[in-house]
């Protein structure tokens, strides 16, 4: 789409130029923002900065994992943000070299625009590239809250609406969809938390007490988000376990009833089988009241079985 070039000096805040040759020599911060870069802008990145070609290739053609690497004369950082659709990852690649900051991304990133407005509106003559990177990281982590809170609200609403349900056959499908969202969110937050832990102990990026306090502030936020997701995951697990336990109980109860019915009908089936053989010399076949005696015996056996199972608290 375009490459935006910003710079700041000790005497004035950020200004925009069209060409890097227009940047004054007293610029304290130079920011190249490559948004949806073209082949020409990719060539600019390769030709004008002595970066590791493999890192540049990953930046241009791949979606690298969240990471931090310090090459001595420059630093490479990769942040992951979330798109609004289905928790898809959007990658922000960052290079820092002396007073030069390069942000490279294949899609517009709102946090970049927000930080640019922030540093433009509030002039700070001591601002450096590390500050801007921490501002961007803070905005990205804060944006996670929108997704985490949305999941958390869904979980609590789900628990309120379905926590007492026992027979909704669609409930488990909805529950697994919700757990899938939690897993997708964890897949973003966990690597970013590890990255923040790494940045916290990086003397190249976090160089003074002000930076250390700010990175701790960011870490507190992502830890809170992680805890919210863990709570949501625990609640969904409890709902699933309760539903499965109740389903197992109902199945056992049904099996118990079927077993009792089978036990009652077994002796009745035996009698019916014996007197259904139709042998010619079965003496009971000639009884005048044999049919009624057999039916009465069946009734007595049924009543005795019911009394027995009732006494054993099986009914």
């Amino acid at each position: 789409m375009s490459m935006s070039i910003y710079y700041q000096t000790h005497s004035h805040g950020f200004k925009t130029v069209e060409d890097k040759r227009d940047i004054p020599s007293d610029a304290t911060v130079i920011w190249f923002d490559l948004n949806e870069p073209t082949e020409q802008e990719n060539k600019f990145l390769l030709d004008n900065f002595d970066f590791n070609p493999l890192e540049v290739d990953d930046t241009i053609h791949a979606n690298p994992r969240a990471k931090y690497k310090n090459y001595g004369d420059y630093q490479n950082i990769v942040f992951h943000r979330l798109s609004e659709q289905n928790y898809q990852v959007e990658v922000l690649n960052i290079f820092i070299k002396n007073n030069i900051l390069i942000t490279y991304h294949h899609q517009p990133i709102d946090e970049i625009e927000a930080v640019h407005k922030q540093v433009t509106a509030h002039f700070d003559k001591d601002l450096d590239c590390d500050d801007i990177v921490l501002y961007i990281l803070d905005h990205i982590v804060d944006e996670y809250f929108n997704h985490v809170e949305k999941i958390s609200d869904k979980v609590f609403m789900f628990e309120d609406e379905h926590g007492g349900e026992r027979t909704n056959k669609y409930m488990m499908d909805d529950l697994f969809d919700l757990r899938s969202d939690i897993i997708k969110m964890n897949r973003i937050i966990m690597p970013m938390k590890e990255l923040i832990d790494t940045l916290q102990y990086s003397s190249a990026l976090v160089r003074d007490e002000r930076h250390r306090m700010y990175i701790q502030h960011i870490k507190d936020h992502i830890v809170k988000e992680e805890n919210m997701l863990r709570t949501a995951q625990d609640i969904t697990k409890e709902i699933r376990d309760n539903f499965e336990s109740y389903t197992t109980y109902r199945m056992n109860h049904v099996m118990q009833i079927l077993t009792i019915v089978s036990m009652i009908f077994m002796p009745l089936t035996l009698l019916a089988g014996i007197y259904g053989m139709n042998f010619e010399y079965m003496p009971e076949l000639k009884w005048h009241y044999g049919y009624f005696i057999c039916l009465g015996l069946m009734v007595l056996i049924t009543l005795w079985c019911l009394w027995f199972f009732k006494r054993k608290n099986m009914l």
Side-chain angles (χ1 to χ4, degrees), residues 16 36 43 69 104 114 175 181-182 192 194 220 232 245 259 264 279:
T16 303
E36 299 181 88
K43 188 174 185 301
K69 289 187 177 180
Y104 185 105
L175 185 64
D181 291 344
I182 295 173
M192 284 294 288
E194 293 176 2
D220 290 343
S245 296
T259 301
I264 292 174
F279 287 112

Side-chain angles (χ1 to χ4, degrees), residues 6 37-38 65 81 88 94 96 109 120 167 184 189 196 205 219 222 224 248 275 289 294-295 300 311:
Y6 315 114
T38 62
R65 61 181 179 82
R81 75 180 298 273
Q88 294 298 312
I94 298 175
I96 305 174
I109 292 182
T120 302
T167 58
K184 291 175 184 177
I189 285 184
I196 292 171
L205 186 73
K219 183 177 180 179
I222 203 164
K224 181 179 179 181
T248 302
Y275 290 103
Y289 296 104
C294 187
L295 287 181
L300 289 175
R311 185 180 179 185

Side-chain angles (χ1 to χ4, degrees), residues 279-291:
F279 287 112
E280 183 177 355
Y281 297 106
M282 290 180 67
E284 292 85 357
L285 294 179
K286 302 298 184 180
W287 288 1
H288 181 72
Y289 296 104
Y291 173 71

Side-chain angles (χ1 to χ4, degrees), residues 81-223:
R81 75 180 298 273
L82 282 169
S83 70
E84 295 297 328
Q85 298 180 349
N86 199 26
Y87 304 98
Q88 294 298 312
V89 173
E90 295 178 352
V91 177
L92 172 60
N93 299 272
I94 298 175
F95 293 91
I96 305 174
K97 184 173 184 178
N98 300 323
N99 66 332
I100 297 175
L101 171 66
I102 300 171
T103 51
Y104 185 105
H105 41 104
H106 292 285
Q107 58 284 313
I109 292 182
D110 295 339
E111 290 80 0
I112 294 288
E113 183 63 27
V115 170
H116 176 248
K117 290 180 179 178
Q118 175 184 341
V119 296
T120 302
H122 305 284
F123 172 59
D124 179 5
K125 64 183 182 62
D126 297 322
L127 184 76
D128 57 24
C129 295
D130 300 338
D131 292 323
I132 298 176
V133 171
L134 292 178
Y135 292 158
I136 294 172
L137 177 59
D138 187 26
H139 278 73
I140 288 176
V141 170
D142 285 348
E143 181 63 23
Y144 291 162
F145 271 115
N146 293 332
H147 302 277
V148 173
E149 288 173 351
K150 186 183 299 182
I151 290 176
S152 183
D153 290 343
K154 286 182 180 179
V155 169
F156 285 109
M157 289 175 63
F158 189 92
E159 199 277 334
D160 291 339
E161 294 175 0
H162 303 285
E165 291 187 9
R166 300 290 182 266
T167 58
N168 188 344
K169 63 181 181 179
Y170 302 109
M171 188 182 79
M172 291 301 287
D173 292 337
D174 295 339
L175 185 64
F176 278 111
D177 288 341
L178 189 53
R179 287 178 65 84
S180 176
D181 291 344
I182 295 173
I183 291 171
K184 291 175 184 177
M185 195 68 209
N186 270 324
R187 193 174 59 189
I188 305 298
I189 285 184
M190 291 176 67
M192 284 294 288
K193 182 175 179 291
E194 293 176 2
L195 171 62
I196 292 171
D197 287 337
T198 302
L199 294 177
Q200 189 173 20
Y201 298 102
S202 167
S203 58
L205 186 73
V206 181
R207 292 177 285 102
D208 54 34
E209 186 62 26
R210 180 169 60 93
H211 287 160
R212 280 189 288 272
M213 290 179 62
Y214 199 50
I215 195 71
Q216 182 61 50
H217 161 80
I218 297 172
K219 183 177 180 179
D220 290 343
H221 281 192
I222 203 164
V223 167

Side-chain angles (χ1 to χ4, degrees), residues 268 271 275 291-303:
L268 306 184
L271 288 175
Y275 290 103
Y291 173 71
F292 300 102
I293 292 172
C294 187
L295 287 181
L297 183 59
M298 288 182 174
V299 171
L300 289 175
I301 291 173
T302 301
L303 293 175

